[in-house]
Amino acid sequence: HVQLVESGGRSVQAGGSLRLSCAASGYRYASYCMGWFRQAPGKEREGVAAIDSDGSTSYADSVKGRFTPSHDSAKNTLYLQMNSLKPEDSAMYYCATTPLYCSGNPTDYSSWGQGTQVTVS
């Protein structure tokens, strides 16, 4: 049973930076994708960035050049470094995993964390 626990979300001023963390346990797949998603009130959940077991990364156009996913396999923790934050980045941020290839479609991911709130003002 995969468990994901996000942390690091808080309120920050526009232009600032945050690093989100997602501690994973119970994951047994040799190959996988770990993704970050976000959902603002009244909007659909959208893919933000992802990293697969080979270290390949993918990004939504809205965050390219500002957000960077990474994975520390020794700690089994996924990170999302967010720089140059904008008010439109405000949302609940979720991490998720799938044994399939990386995609920006939430329905491709089978395990989810509870989310961490990011507010940019």
Side-chain angles (χ1 to χ4, degrees):
H1 176 65
V2 177
Q3 288 190 313
L4 303 171
V5 180
E6 302 96 334
S7 61
R10 62 176 175 87
S11 295
V12 64
Q13 290 190 336
S17 298
L18 278 179
R19 189 177 80 157
L20 305 183
S21 300
C22 173
S25 61
Y27 206 79
R28 293 181 172 84
Y29 296 104
S31 62
Y32 54 83
C33 177
M34 300 188 78
W36 286 99
F37 291 79
R38 66 186 180 187
Q39 188 167 19
K43 294 188 176 182
E44 293 187 351
R45 190 168 297 190
E46 63 173 352
V48 175
I51 183 167
D52 68 18
S53 48
D54 292 330
S56 297
T57 55
S58 54
Y59 306 84
D61 289 342
S62 59
V63 306
K64 279 181 181 177
R66 301 188 299 122
F67 290 11
T68 304
S70 62
H71 181 234
D72 185 333
S73 57
K75 295 182 179 180
N76 214 7
T77 300
L78 174 70
Y79 300 99
L80 183 67
Q81 179 65 43
M82 305 188 294
N83 300 325
S84 302
L85 283 161
K86 305 175 181 180
E88 52 263 43
D89 295 320
S90 297
M92 185 71 79
Y93 281 73
Y94 301 88
C95 65
T97 65
T98 176
L100 305 176
Y101 52 86
C102 285
S103 82
N105 186 346
T107 62
D108 290 337
Y109 292 75
S110 51
S111 298
W112 291 83
Q114 82 290 348
T116 186
Q117 179 68 41
V118 173
T119 303
V120 185
S121 59

